[in-house]
Structures are given as structure tokens and as C-alpha cells.
Amino acid sequence: MVTGDANYIKKFNRDIILQKIIEHGFISRADLSKITGLNKATISVQVTDLLAEELIYETEQEHTTIGRRPILLSLNPKAGYVLGVDLDYKQIQYTLADLLGNPVMTDMINLETDNYEEIIQLLIQQIKNYQMKCPESRYGLVNIVIGIHGTINKDTNSILFVPKYQWSNKQIKNDLQKDIKIPIVIENNANLSTYAERVFYHYNCDNLITLMISSGIGAGIMIDGKLQRGYHGYAGEFGHMIIAPEGEQCPCGNKGCWELYSSESILIKKIEEDQQRSISYEDIQQLIDDQHQKTLNHFNHFINFLSIGINNIINIFNPDIFVLTSKLLSIYPDSVNEIEEKLQSSVSQYGKIVLSNLDNHSCVMGACAVAIQNFLDVPELILTPPEI
């Protein structure tokens, strides 16, 4: 039983009711009472308030039996909108979504600069554009979450370090909120991807690791249902785990970092050197289909080094589900099987390794999910996978 002052109890009841409405999609007042253990009078008062706020709506269920048709409650997805941002190296991905996480608009903007101040101004301009483009609704654009490919302070307000940009100690939230008055949260991109996997696909998994393989390598770590950030917020920076002592020089200052051998950008660079041209994912897919031997050799080298790091992570965390988020792995046949064949240690234990269904949208979709949860203020969120 929850005890406390009246306002606390009222808010607690509201959060649980709203959470269950989202989770079930359509649910009656009577079923809400059964599931939450709250009496019908409490349910009625809370539902009346939520209807007045336009956060939920009522529909009559169709049925063929005699009698009154039951009234079902649902979240109103168009009461407001959220913006997820993936600030990667040389490009920014934006997704505007409704309150059920359904994408409304998605854009990819290429960057011609790595200057922090210039990128901040571009972010401000783009956010304002989305604010103007936002469909008409009760609350408009309600929350913004930005994924950073680097380390974030535990207060999720500032950047500690972004290796690709060489940004250190940037007060990014404050710099944005000088011009943007909508609530903003800054989070590590891998943490957001892990949150997306939990909310959209693996909501019964409490021990989950998501490995982001893109311009670098980062991981989101969830243990006992909680994201692990570490003391300073550095947890999950596995791309800078040293796997080749005295190896190649990394921008972080060390030598032989994992992402110098197993990031997508490194693999693409090697294939481009062979092809002597810029290539797209479609080009790489064609090379694979054509059984181009040099390309296959590069993939084999890539997967060998990738498996070494995955083995280390499994030994440390013993995850239930290990999600790999990589466009290149998704187009390479049997990539997961090849990785698992290289994990021969009798010590390494895990539940299963899977490829992400969200592909390179996992960060922005995780950002949207965090933004929805922040706005609705519910303790837990379960959403239907988006159509991307």
C-alpha cells in the first residue's frame, strides 16, 4: 500500500492509471480497477481529469451482444509531440513523434562543420523549424531529447567528451536553452538505444546490453532494469577498450582502441580504399551479393575483432539479451551466427544475441521514448514498435 500526503497519492495513482492505459492500448474503467487495485471512485476521478487534459479519450467497443457497449480508454497520441535528435559525427538525425512513439517526420542533415558553436546554432534553428511544423495539438512540442556519441555528465546536462569532434566540457543544455524554452535532456546515444530496445521490444528483459556500432562503438548497459552510467557518466564507452596494445593511435589518447578495428566507419573506409570511390550501404550490399572477395575479407576481419570485444563484455556483465545495432551487420548474411561461432569460451554466458530491428533509428527512437516518459511522467513505458 502506498502512503503519504494526499497530493503524492493522487499523483501516484494518476501515473499508474496512465501507464496501464498506454500499456493496454484500450482498457475499460472496470479493468483498470482490477489491474491497479484502485477502487472505482478513484479511477473515475482520475479518468475525468485525464479526459479534461485531453491526454486520453473514450471509445465505445463494438460488440454483437445485447446491452450497453463498454467504454474503453486510450492515450491520445496527438495531444502533443516529442523530438528525438541523434547528434552523430558529420550528421544529425531528427525524428518528430506523437505520444505513442509513432514517427511523424524524420530528417537526416549532413554537417559541413565540426565547430561546436556552429552546430549549436544549427540545432537551435532546426528545433525551431520542427516547433513550427508540429501538427496542431493541445500541448504542441513538449520535450526534446538529444543523443550524444560521447560521454555525458551524470546530471545529463553537459558533455564531458566527444572523441570524434574533440569536444570537452561543453554545457550543451544551457547553450541550447538560451533560445529554446522547451524542456531538453542530453543523453548518451547508446543509453538511448538500450532504452528504445527495452520500451519497444524487450520490456520483459532487465539485463540488457545494446552495442552501437556506427562511427564509433558504444554500449548501453541495463542491469536489474536500470541504466548504468557509472560514477562520472562514462559507463559503456567500450569503443575505447584496448584490444591491441601499442596498436593504432586513437583520438582519445590511447592506442589500440576497439573502435579503430570494428566500427562501421573503419570498415567502410577499407572498402572505399579498395573501390577507390565513395560507397553507400547499397553499394556494399551489392558487393556482398556479388561475393566480392576483398569485401568479404574485410568483413571477416571486422567480425573477428568485433567478437573479441563482445566476448569481453559478456564475461563482465552476463547479459540476458545482447542487441547489436549496426546497418552493416544487418546486411551481412548470418552475421550473428558468425559472431556466436567465435564465442567459444566455456566461461562466457548470455541469453541471446540479436540484431536491432530499429537499425540506425534506435537512438532517435530511444530519445523519443525518453521524451514521452518525461512528459507523461509515468514510471514505466511500453510502446508498440514503430513503422520506420
Side-chain angles (χ1 to χ4, degrees):
M1 172 183 272
V2 178
T3 59
D5 64 52
N7 288 334
Y8 172 81
I9 294 172
K10 183 177 180 180
K11 182 183 181 305
F12 179 87
N13 291 341
R14 175 193 184 279
D15 295 346
I16 292 298
I17 289 169
L18 191 53
Q19 177 183 318
K20 294 303 177 184
I21 291 173
I22 298 168
E23 183 178 331
H24 288 268
F26 293 90
I27 190 169
S28 67
R29 288 170 172 80
D31 286 339
L32 269 177
S33 181
K34 291 176 186 176
I35 292 170
T36 62
L38 299 171
N39 63 49
K40 292 181 180 180
T42 298
I43 296 290
S44 179
V45 169
Q46 292 285 353
V47 165
T48 298
D49 289 345
L50 290 169
L51 287 168
E53 295 171 30
E54 297 181 22
L55 288 176
I56 63 172
Y57 66 95
E58 296 177 307
T59 54
E60 281 191 336
Q61 184 181 33
E62 302 240 350
H63 70 128
T64 57
T65 59
I66 298 173
R68 183 178 177 184
R69 288 185 288 183
I71 304 296
L72 300 182
L73 305 169
S74 298
L75 182 76
N76 176 11
K78 305 195 183 305
Y81 295 86
V82 296
L83 183 63
V85 182
D86 180 2
L87 176 53
D88 199 352
Y89 185 61
K90 296 298 184 182
Q91 64 182 22
I92 309 177
Q93 185 178 173
Y94 298 88
T95 292
L96 185 75
D98 65 24
L99 295 183
L100 283 177
N102 301 308
V104 176
M105 285 182 264
T106 296
D107 291 302
M108 184 76 77
I109 308 296
N110 292 323
L111 296 173
E112 303 296 330
T113 178
D114 57 7
N115 179 270
Y116 174 77
E117 285 74 20
E118 291 178 9
I119 291 176
I120 287 296
Q121 290 306 309
L122 180 61
L123 280 167
I124 290 170
Q125 177 187 334
Q126 291 294 325
I127 290 170
K128 288 181 176 179
N129 287 342
Y130 274 102
Q131 199 171 2
M132 289 188 294
K133 292 179 183 177
C134 201
E136 187 175 343
S137 63
R138 168 75 178 264
Y139 297 100
L141 184 58
V142 297
N143 211 286
I144 301 162
V145 175
I146 301 174
I148 302 294
H149 292 238
T151 54
I152 306 299
N153 196 293
K154 282 183 71 174
D155 61 12
T156 65
N157 288 329
S158 57
I159 291 172
L160 292 174
F161 184 56
V162 178
K164 293 291 183 181
Y165 283 112
Q166 288 292 294
W167 292 347
S168 297
N169 301 315
K170 299 294 186 181
Q171 299 298 315
I172 183 169
K173 180 175 178 177
N174 291 340
D175 292 338
L176 290 170
Q177 301 240 244
K178 291 174 184 176
D179 290 275
I180 304 296
K181 304 310 176 186
I182 301 164
I184 296 175
V185 170
I186 310 299
E187 182 57 275
N188 172 266
N189 69 305
N191 284 345
L192 291 175
S193 295
T194 299
Y195 190 75
E197 295 293 338
R198 170 70 179 271
V199 167
F200 291 111
Y201 294 101
H202 306 293
Y203 44 82
N204 290 321
C205 177
D206 285 340
N207 294 282
L208 172 71
I209 289 179
T210 300
L211 192 68
M212 298 289 296
I213 308 162
S214 55
S215 60
I217 299 178
I221 307 162
M222 183 173 284
I223 298 176
D224 295 333
K226 296 182 179 180
L227 281 171
Q228 305 299 306
R229 292 185 171 84
Y231 182 69
H232 291 104
Y234 279 76
E237 286 298 317
F238 292 122
H240 298 284
M241 171 172 57
I242 297 171
I243 63 166
E246 299 307 315
E248 296 180 35
Q249 183 67 50
C250 181
C252 79
N254 284 325
K255 292 182 178 180
C257 290
W258 189 24
E259 66 181 40
L260 298 179
Y261 302 86
S262 285
S263 63
E264 285 198 354
S265 58
I266 292 297
L267 177 54
I268 291 171
K269 180 181 178 182
K270 290 181 181 298
I271 298 173
E272 285 181 335
E273 288 173 352
D274 283 342
Q275 295 293 308
Q276 296 185 340
R277 62 186 174 95
S278 296
I279 57 172
S280 64
Y281 286 111
E282 289 74 20
D283 295 328
I284 295 174
Q285 178 73 75
Q286 189 61 54
L287 289 167
I288 293 170
D289 293 342
D290 293 341
Q291 292 289 291
H292 186 266
Q293 194 56 53
K294 281 190 175 181
T295 300
L296 298 180
N297 290 342
H298 287 313
F299 265 95
N300 184 57
H301 186 267
F302 168 73
I303 288 174
N304 276 338
F305 275 105
L306 191 61
S307 301
I308 292 170
I310 289 173
N311 185 82
N312 292 342
I313 296 169
I314 287 171
N315 283 340
I316 295 169
F317 293 102
N318 180 217
D320 178 10
I321 297 177
F322 199 123
V323 181
L324 301 176
T325 301
S326 166
K327 180 72 172 177
L328 290 180
L329 288 179
S330 69
I331 65 177
Y332 186 75
D334 295 323
S335 57
V336 171
N337 288 336
E338 285 200 20
I339 290 168
E340 290 189 309
E341 286 174 1
K342 299 178 187 300
L343 305 177
Q344 297 298 323
S345 171
S346 60
V347 175
S348 299
Q349 298 295 321
Y350 59 93
K352 61 180 178 179
I353 298 175
V354 299
L355 288 175
S356 173
N357 290 311
L358 293 169
D359 206 14
N360 63 341
H361 300 285
S362 63
C363 176
V364 286
M365 292 313 302
C368 289
V370 169
I372 291 167
Q373 186 171 14
N374 288 345
F375 173 65
L376 297 178
D377 198 20
V378 292
E380 191 173 10
L381 199 60
I382 296 175
L383 298 174
T384 301
E387 293 184 11
I388 298 175

